[in-house]
Amino acid sequence: MENKESNTEDTVMTPDVYKKTFWRTFPLQACFCFERMQNVGFAYMMVPALKKLYTDKKDISDALKRHLAIFNTTPAVVSFIAGASIAMEEKFKKAKDNGEEVDEESINAVKTALMGPLAGIGDSFFWGTFRIIGAGIGTSLAAKGSILGAILFLLIYNIPNFLVRYYGLKMGYKSGVGFLASMNEGGVVAVLTEAAKVLGLLVVGSMCASMVSISTPFVLHLNGTKIVLQEIFDGIIKGFLPLGFTFIIYALLEKGMKSTTLLWGILVLGIVCSFFGIL
């Protein structure tokens, strides 16, 4: 009885549960399936807290079944949802022990409400910003033969990843839905997402200029006047050919052309243009 009362009255998020839950955020997609996405990984992540909270095996089993509902979000921000879900489970258990009427579906409703907005934020920052910045800096150094390229890429992407996973768990447990709602109402989420998009586009633009190298030696002779095409392109905008080529490739990808087809096309085009002295 003493053990049961302490599990209900004391916080579930002990340092041991916190540490185990944090490390279990990483294999979130280990059992990914197209029917319920990341549900098994999320249920696995909830096990330490559920074992701490419930003493009856049936209660643990029922709780695990609740968390096997369809779930999908950006892995880096999943700890925030896990923290909020643990807080909801704790409230659910206390209300049930006090004989109050509870709705267990509200826990999955909170998860569903959080996973969409957080996936948008996570994708903007981690897939669209940190990954692109890390790749841009890393590839430029690696192309020069420096091992720092690989090291910096891993650091730029993984340091924010680890920090968000670690502190997101605490933030989700303490604030949960209220924190995200206040950020949405204040427009903070929209501002951060837009800033991430702008930063990502800036990095992509700089990569076009530094990583894509295209120039033409083609010279026209008109009425005794020598016209160097590359000088004309540089006069329009520096890196005009790399930028234009990038936009063409992007447009073809948007139309559904396969990347392998484009790669072979670029290879053939480069050989032909080089043979005729166009590029």
Side-chain angles (χ1 to χ4, degrees), residues 46 69 72 107 112 126 139 172 179 212 226 252 254 258-259:
M46 294 290 293
N72 190 39
I107 299 174
T112 303
F126 289 95
T139 51
F179 175 77
V212 182
K226 189 167 84 171
L252 292 174
E254 285 288 297
K258 294 181 179 179
S259 58

Side-chain angles (χ1 to χ4, degrees), residues 6-279:
S6 64
N7 283 347
T8 304
E9 293 175 2
D10 297 339
T11 178
V12 175
M13 194 65 81
T14 60
D16 183 55
V17 171
Y18 193 98
K19 180 176 66 175
K20 289 179 179 178
T21 306
F22 165 71
W23 287 115
R24 287 181 181 225
T25 63
F26 292 95
L28 176 68
Q29 301 193 99
C31 292
F32 185 93
C33 70
F34 287 101
E35 182 183 359
R36 297 195 177 186
M37 308 294 184
Q38 304 162 342
N39 67 323
V40 175
F42 191 90
Y44 174 73
M45 184 171 49
M46 294 290 293
V47 168
L50 296 178
K51 282 187 174 180
K52 175 74 176 177
L53 185 61
Y54 298 105
T55 55
D56 189 273
K57 287 186 177 181
K58 186 180 183 305
D59 291 335
I60 298 175
S61 176
D62 291 340
L64 281 174
K65 288 178 182 178
R66 280 197 296 274
H67 293 291
L68 285 174
I70 186 172
F71 182 82
N72 190 39
T73 194
T74 306
V77 298
V78 71
S79 60
F80 185 94
I81 303 175
S85 298
I86 291 170
M88 289 285 291
E89 286 284 354
E90 191 172 6
K91 290 179 181 179
F92 175 80
K93 175 68 163 52
K94 288 180 179 179
K96 192 175 179 180
D97 288 345
N98 292 332
E100 300 174 11
E101 188 176 347
V102 292
D103 180 16
E104 62 181 40
E105 291 301 320
S106 62
I107 299 174
N108 278 328
V110 169
K111 286 169 56 181
T112 303
L114 288 174
M115 67 183 187
L118 283 175
I121 298 171
D123 287 348
S124 297
F125 277 92
F126 289 95
W127 294 120
T129 303
F130 297 130
R131 183 172 64 99
I132 300 299
I133 292 174
I137 296 174
T139 51
S140 62
L141 289 172
K144 298 176 182 177
S146 175
I147 195 174
L148 281 175
I151 295 172
L152 284 177
F153 170 73
L154 294 173
L155 291 177
I156 290 170
Y157 181 79
N158 284 299
I159 287 176
N161 195 321
F162 271 73
L163 291 175
V164 170
R165 284 177 190 264
Y166 187 82
Y167 291 104
L169 183 60
K170 183 184 296 183
M171 195 178 297
Y173 180 73
K174 289 185 176 180
S175 304
V177 183
F179 175 77
L180 190 63
S182 63
M183 286 186 69
N184 275 321
E185 290 173 2
V188 178
V189 172
V191 171
L192 289 176
T193 304
E194 191 65 25
K197 289 179 181 177
V198 172
L199 185 58
L201 289 172
L202 284 171
V203 174
V204 170
S206 64
M207 286 177 66
C208 292
S210 60
M211 303 301 296
V212 182
S213 179
I214 301 177
S215 60
T216 176
F218 200 71
V219 178
L220 293 175
H221 296 274
L222 297 174
N223 299 325
T225 304
K226 189 167 84 171
I227 301 174
V228 181
L229 284 182
Q230 186 60 47
E231 292 180 357
I232 296 175
F233 290 138
D234 290 340
I236 298 171
I237 182 174
K238 194 70 175 176
F240 178 81
L241 287 178
L243 183 63
F245 183 73
T246 303
F247 279 132
I248 291 171
I249 297 298
Y250 179 76
L252 292 174
L253 287 170
E254 285 288 297
K255 289 183 177 181
M257 187 172 288
K258 294 181 179 179
S259 58
T260 51
T261 304
L262 285 173
L263 287 171
W264 281 109
I266 292 169
L267 181 62
V268 172
L269 181 65
I271 293 172
V272 172
C273 290
S274 177
F275 179 79
F276 288 103
I278 299 173
L279 292 177

